[in-house]
Amino acid sequence: MQISRNDTIFALASGAGRAGIAVVRLSGPACRFVLELMAGHVPRPRRLELCRLRHPLSRDLLDEALVAFFPSPNSFTGEDVAELHVHGGRAVIGAVIAGLGEISGCRLAGPGEFSRRALLNGKMDLSAIEGLGDLIDAETEMQRRQAMRQMRGELRDAVERWRTTLIEASAFVEAELDFADESDVPDGLRERAMALLVSVADELRREIARARSGERIRSGLTVVIAGPPNAGKSTLLNALAQRDVAIVSDIPGTTRDSIEVHWDLAGIPVTLVDTAGLRESRDPIEQEGVRRARDRARNADVILSLRAFDSQTEHLQDAPGAVIIPIRTKIDLATGRGVGSDASLDELELSAATGEGVEALVARLETMAKNVVADGGLVTRARHREAFAGALTTLERAISAGPGHPGELFAEDIRLAMRYLGRVTGRVDVEDVLDRLFAGFCIGK
């Protein structure tokens, strides 16, 4: 993504569609000129003022709007920023956007370009930018809290604390290397440096162990409903989602492909997946559905393995990475048949049609999900985990080598560890991350 820092960018910063108010945001060196041209004057900094917006060429009245100006460097992007709070009709928004596009040096912003300028101008570090993106995308309360912590600098502060400790350790090593013959250089510098490395390594190890929890809060858990045809999978999906998502039929093999539903489970994001019935079939479409069902099960966090009350089918077993909850279904049809007589001790019994047992299943899922995310730490992305792991590897190498490690190699390991940590906040080696990150942002953010 080629970016000209000399352009003034603009975009709709509020949601698209009909609304009472829409916010058009600008950032760049021409903000003052744009306000003088379209609003007649530049409002006092950080104060909303009622202005008449006019087209920059025709001078037609476009709208009466509240206008705000945020001078550099005290703005979101670190540049001059302006906001036009116009009426939210599509015609008004279109006319204002079109008018801005007529001004030389102004252009429509790309995805995430406002946030990218904030990063480049030092207003936010990369981890805070990621937290902002997560906050925009947050669907559950737990995701919102996690994103707020990261946006406000919890991850950045930890990384900077570790970097400061490693800088201190590096200073001890460098002093030993460069001034070993000086009489005023104290003994034991290497040991002091080693103690600092051990303390940072211990914290990194702890955070890496908690990484799965943090990543799961952000991306959510995947719960796959699996089992033979007519085991009640689609009925259970509808019962959990509390709406008719999947077609329910007595005809075996109705579900041919996976159906996904996003579910807020006590603040934890969950993707519920209904899958094709597992059985042998000569129908190529159903065969593909069964293959996809097994693939989804192998990559699930939790599998609800269903079998009907009168079925002797074995529960799914070939999903070593998932927690399997065995469930016996359709118990409302089993009156007088001795339901549970051959059920395994941990097999839940329910009727998705009547709701019996569904509440107990939800409670079990809630407990399981809370256990998974209970120890959510600083890591929210694989990128963070990989950077922490790289830093830990280099520190462990220096620590395991002990006092006999050559000073130059010892110092280099510390520098490498700091470089890995710098990738988290955007100090080094992040250009390959930026385009992917900001491509997922909203236009106008």
Side-chain angles (χ1 to χ4, degrees), residues 38 66 70 85 98 146 156 188 192 253 255 290 307 331 344 357 392 405 412 421:
M38 294 186 67
L66 291 173
F70 305 89
H85 295 230
Q146 182 190 62
R156 177 201 63 219
R192 292 168 66 181
T255 302
V290 171
R307 64 171 179 168
I331 60 171
S344 60
L392 179 61
H405 202 32
E412 180 62 19
L421 293 177

Side-chain angles (χ1 to χ4, degrees), residues 108-282:
L108 193 65
E113 194 169 352
F114 288 90
S115 298
R116 187 164 187 158
R117 289 192 176 194
L119 173 68
L120 296 175
N121 291 326
K123 302 297 290 186
M124 302 177 78
D125 71 278
L126 184 57
S127 67
I129 293 287
E130 290 173 327
L132 173 60
D134 291 344
L135 186 63
I136 293 170
D137 293 334
E139 296 181 348
T140 70
E141 177 63 14
M142 196 167 289
Q143 286 179 319
R144 183 194 66 79
R145 291 179 182 176
Q146 182 190 62
M148 283 296 300
R149 288 197 302 269
Q150 185 166 324
M151 191 178 74
R152 293 176 65 85
E154 187 173 300
L155 175 59
R156 177 201 63 219
D157 292 346
V159 168
E160 289 304 309
R161 185 179 72 252
W162 296 332
R163 287 188 75 257
T164 299
T165 302
L166 294 181
I167 289 170
E168 184 180 359
S170 180
F172 289 150
V173 176
E174 296 293 344
E176 184 184 69
L177 287 173
D178 296 338
F179 307 106
D181 297 332
E182 300 292 333
S183 59
D184 58 345
V185 176
D187 296 330
L189 291 179
R190 178 72 67 90
E191 288 74 15
R192 292 168 66 181
M194 186 73 76
L196 294 175
L197 299 195
V198 169
S199 69
V200 173
D202 286 344
E203 290 194 55
L204 284 172
R205 203 173 289 113
R206 206 157 37 240
E207 287 303 327
I208 292 171
R210 301 162 65 190
R212 184 172 181 270
S213 296
E215 291 181 60
R216 281 293 181 268
I217 292 174
R218 177 176 175 266
S219 62
L221 298 173
T222 299
V223 177
V224 170
I225 305 174
N230 270 8
K233 299 184 296 300
S234 297
T235 306
L236 179 58
L237 176 72
N238 292 342
L240 293 174
Q242 297 185 340
R243 64 183 191 274
D244 289 335
V245 178
I247 297 173
V248 176
S249 170
D250 292 333
I251 302 172
T254 301
T255 302
R256 298 294 188 93
D257 204 350
S258 299
I259 300 173
E260 295 187 3
V261 175
H262 294 290
W263 189 33
D264 184 341
L265 181 64
I268 302 162
V270 171
T271 299
L272 282 172
V273 185
D274 181 21
T275 58
L278 302 177
R279 68 173 177 177
E280 298 296 327
S281 174
R282 294 184 178 181

Side-chain angles (χ1 to χ4, degrees), residues 15-16 40-41 48 116 137 143 166 274 284 292 312 328 336 364 368 408:
H41 71 286
L48 284 170
R116 187 164 187 158
D137 293 334
Q143 286 179 319
L166 294 181
D274 181 21
R292 294 187 182 189
Q312 300 302 314
R328 176 157 289 198
R364 184 164 175 178
M368 188 174 298
E408 293 81 1

